[in-house]
Amino acid sequence: MRHFSNLGYFFLEGFRSIFAHGLMSFAAICMIVCCLLIMGSFSLVAINLDDMWGTYEQQNEFLAFIDENYAQEDALALESTIEAVPNVSDAAFVSKEEAQADFAADKADNELFESLPATVFRDRYRIHVVDLEQLEQTVNQVAQIPGVVNISAAPEIAEGFVVVRNIASGVAIILVVALLLVSLFIITNTIRLATFNRRDEIAIMKMCGATNGFVRWPFVFEGLIIGLVGALAAFFLQWGLYTLIGQAIDSSDTIQLITVLPFQRLAGRVMAIFAGTGFVIGVGGSLLAIRRFLQV
Amino acid sequence: MIRFIDVYKSYDNGTKALKGVSMRIDDGEFVFLVGPSGSGKSTIIKLITAEIAPSEGRLMVNGYNLNTIRPRQVPYMRRTLGVIFQDFRLIEKKSVYENLVFAMRAVGASPREIKRRIQYVLELVGLDSKGDRRPGELSGGEQQRVAIARALVNNPSMIIADEPTGNLDPQRSLEIMMLLEKINELGTTVLVVTHEKELVNRFDKRVVAIENGRIISDGTGGYYINETF
């Protein structure tokens, strides 16, 4: 409990130590900034891709054709049954007439299709799913509903989306973990150097009766400050970098397909992740570094 | 109070540093521990400060049983001791005052306690006018006085001095011993490890002699039994 009354002292000692080993502290902050920037850039690319894929997923639909012997009222009554199927996000009824009109609009350049009667078409539902990975299962369940006579779906496209997204997520996770480990290694070595330089002081403190906690706290604060300063610097650099790239993409004629989420929408999450990562590698690195020097 | 009861200490490399040491140092005593290099003096100091644990036998220091002490209790046991080293071990970049603050901070003393106590110990060791000096600006004798002040600052019940005069000339050595005697007269138990025969012989104190990990003599008389030390 007494440690709490020494918080100011620990903070001051940690702060002083940063300047006592200014070059190493600067190097550690730079490395954390680099690692967070790379990690953040990959994560932001992944978030944007995810958002874009989310949009495409929304557009990925399948059609459930209704038995032509069903009157329109009976066909409309199936909506709640279809929407009750797990993974179905919404089911929109399309009547024979609307289907005919859509078809004719698609084939506007071919007069042959304009006079096609609506009775040739079936009532149908346009169905969107929540999770593309479960598309095939959902299609099978919808096909089991009495009154549904046929299904038109393209699961291979959905699978393609899933595979691409999974690969991107996998690569992003591996990179993030690797960069986290690199940051942890660097900060551990920085604090280890600081503790090595101060090993005599630590030995004196221990001989005077300092507890391990008392010896450890200033180094924990040092790591914490380094981690958080690195996180803050990385956040603002990331903001600038992201905005620049976003502006370049928006003003480009050739890459109009790509939409970039505004940074303001992501800033809170980025800040929280950077601060959390800075905290973990700062404090974790310090604790790892000092462990050996406490055994006096 | 310190009690060694048939204590043995063997190191991992096979060295048998202590071979059945038994001794008792009561509160308020002044004791010289003498012996040649490699006799086991340093091992005794390390055992008392709980840097190492005995291989066999029982060891009590100021009410703590060091055979069963938990690691988290060791700092509290050490607060009952003040240790002085031959090479002073002062922090060069801190002033005399800051060195003492550092030692008191280490045990969580409040700023008010620190101010009051440091003033007292600096006066006790005769350095009250040199609190703002750095160790490098002081003579060897003065540096050792700072080390004594640091050992005293947390008000331990026992001072352990490991060759405290090893780096000092005879006159400064005598002054340091007289200071330790004065501290002892104020009620603090003092254990001094030394090689210096003349110095030991000038004080009529208890002398424990150790050789090859065994205590070979223990008595008051202020002289070395073995001339080869």
Side-chain angles (χ1 to χ4, degrees):
Chain A
M1 280 296 120
R2 198 155 191 182
H3 283 166
F4 290 107
S5 63
N6 286 314
L7 276 181
Y9 171 78
F10 296 143
F11 183 81
L12 207 65
E13 284 292 308
F15 197 71
R16 276 189 193 144
S17 184
I18 289 172
F19 290 99
H21 316 97
L23 199 63
M24 274 309 291
S25 304
F26 180 71
I29 289 172
C30 287
M31 283 311 297
I32 290 172
V33 168
C34 289
C35 290
L36 285 178
L37 266 183
I38 298 170
M39 189 183 88
S41 300
F42 270 97
S43 301
L44 287 172
V45 169
I47 288 169
N48 273 283
L49 283 177
D50 203 47
D51 184 71
M52 280 164 54
W53 284 330
T55 309
Y56 291 132
E57 274 183 3
Q58 285 294 309
Q59 292 165 6
N60 197 279
E61 59 188 21
F62 69 93
L63 297 175
F65 296 100
I66 308 302
D67 190 335
E68 56 216 37
N69 296 320
Y70 273 47
Q72 195 172 70
E73 298 74 43
D74 299 330
L76 277 166
L78 288 175
E79 184 173 342
S80 56
T81 314
I82 293 171
E83 284 188 336
V85 172
N87 196 39
V88 168
S89 70
D90 67 274
F93 180 74
V94 181
S95 66
K96 293 170 185 169
E97 291 73 22
E98 286 166 337
Q100 188 271 333
D102 287 348
F103 186 80
D106 273 356
K107 312 286 181 190
D109 53 341
N110 196 331
E111 289 174 10
L112 271 176
F113 297 110
E114 282 179 18
S115 53
L116 212 58
T119 49
V120 172
F121 295 88
R122 283 174 171 148
D123 290 329
R124 65 199 61 187
Y125 279 92
R126 253 182 235 286
I127 301 170
H128 292 116
V129 293
V130 177
D131 181 5
L132 267 185
E133 280 188 73
Q134 296 175 36
L135 179 68
E136 202 168 343
Q137 196 184 341
T138 310
V139 165
N140 290 337
Q141 284 176 294
V142 171
Q144 301 296 318
I145 295 171
V148 174
V149 290
N150 200 7
I151 296 281
S152 171
E156 63 283 354
I157 295 172
E159 277 169 22
F161 272 129
V162 170
V163 167
V164 170
R165 194 174 61 179
N166 286 348
I167 289 173
S169 300
V171 169
I173 288 169
I174 290 167
L175 275 169
V176 165
V177 170
L179 290 167
L180 274 179
L181 290 176
V182 168
S183 302
L184 196 65
F185 176 76
I186 290 162
I187 197 142
T188 300
N189 275 317
T190 306
I191 303 283
R192 189 168 286 162
L193 193 74
T195 44
F196 185 77
N197 284 342
R198 292 177 61 189
R199 64 193 183 283
D200 290 340
E201 286 181 40
I202 293 172
I204 292 166
M205 287 167 92
K206 295 279 288 177
M207 205 45 78
C208 288
T211 59
N212 282 348
F214 188 90
V215 177
R216 192 185 289 126
W217 273 107
F219 293 100
V220 171
F221 271 95
E222 184 181 347
L224 178 66
I225 294 167
I226 288 175
L228 291 184
V229 168
L232 200 67
F235 173 76
F236 286 111
L237 281 172
Q238 184 78 75
W239 192 341
L241 197 67
Y242 186 88
T243 308
L244 272 178
I245 293 171
Q247 283 170 351
I249 289 173
D250 285 345
S251 60
S252 166
D253 293 332
T254 51
I255 39 179
Q256 286 293 320
L257 275 174
I258 301 173
T259 54
V260 180
L261 293 168
F263 191 78
Q264 284 77 357
R265 258 181 68 185
L266 305 167
R269 259 191 293 172
V270 172
M271 188 67 228
I273 291 168
F274 277 19
T277 311
F279 178 87
V280 168
I281 55 182
V283 173
S286 305
L287 292 176
L288 279 176
I290 195 163
R291 212 172 33 171
R292 189 156 59 93
F293 293 95
L294 291 176
Q295 291 158 359
V296 180
Chain B
M1 185 194 71
I2 292 177
R3 281 206 75 179
F4 279 70
I5 303 170
D6 205 20
V7 171
Y8 287 77
K9 178 62 190 176
S10 301
Y11 289 105
D12 290 342
N13 62 7
T15 306
K16 290 178 177 167
L18 296 185
K19 300 163 188 166
V21 167
S22 293
M23 68 168 172
R24 175 183 174 135
I25 299 174
D26 286 323
D27 290 342
E29 274 198 278
F30 189 118
V31 179
F32 285 111
L33 179 64
V34 299
S37 296
S39 60
K41 300 190 303 292
S42 296
T43 299
I44 285 180
I45 300 281
K46 285 181 180 173
L47 283 168
I48 293 171
T49 56
E51 285 178 71
I52 54 174
S55 306
E56 282 179 55
R58 289 188 62 201
L59 175 55
M60 298 285 292
V61 174
N62 292 336
Y64 289 89
N65 182 344
L66 298 197
N67 298 89
T68 56
I69 193 167
R70 291 179 179 175
R72 66 172 55 177
Q73 287 181 304
V74 170
Y76 299 97
M77 185 280 292
R78 285 182 181 158
R79 290 177 193 186
T80 68
L81 305 171
V83 186
I84 301 162
F85 303 97
Q86 180 179 356
D87 55 0
F88 321 132
R89 297 199 193 170
L90 300 172
I91 302 165
E92 290 297 325
K93 64 187 179 200
K94 291 184 190 286
S95 69
V96 167
Y97 192 87
E98 287 166 343
N99 266 279
L100 303 189
V101 170
F102 182 74
M104 287 194 79
R105 270 291 189 186
V107 299
S110 69
R112 185 183 290 181
E113 283 175 89
I114 289 171
K115 201 172 176 183
R116 185 180 52 77
R117 182 71 185 162
I118 290 178
Q119 184 61 34
Y120 169 73
V121 291
L122 281 179
E123 281 171 19
L124 186 67
V125 301
L127 289 175
D128 46 323
S129 61
K130 296 190 174 176
D132 57 347
R133 303 279 181 87
R134 302 231 167 173
E137 299 169 34
L138 302 175
S139 68
E142 287 173 327
Q143 289 189 53
Q144 193 58 294
R145 283 170 183 271
V146 178
I148 292 171
R150 186 182 60 195
L152 276 175
V153 80
N154 288 322
N155 201 18
S157 58
M158 174 178 279
I159 293 282
I160 297 167
D162 188 5
E163 303 280 3
T165 56
N167 285 344
L168 305 178
D169 61 55
Q171 183 54 36
R172 298 289 92 72
S173 298
L174 183 62
E175 286 172 12
I176 291 297
M177 277 311 166
M178 287 169 73
L179 177 58
L180 289 172
E181 191 179 36
K182 182 178 160 188
I183 289 163
N184 175 242
E185 282 164 5
L186 291 171
T188 307
T189 311
V190 176
L191 172 63
V192 179
V193 175
T194 184
H195 276 98
E196 294 179 55
K197 178 187 163 193
E198 289 79 14
L199 204 57
V200 173
N201 288 346
R202 288 188 72 153
F203 293 84
D204 187 26
K205 301 292 181 188
R206 178 180 164 197
V207 180
V208 177
I210 183 168
E211 192 172 357
N212 290 326
R214 290 190 179 89
I215 289 177
I216 55 168
S217 73
D218 183 352
T220 307
Y223 58 91
Y224 275 112
I225 288 173
N226 189 333
E227 287 292 326
T228 60
F229 286 177

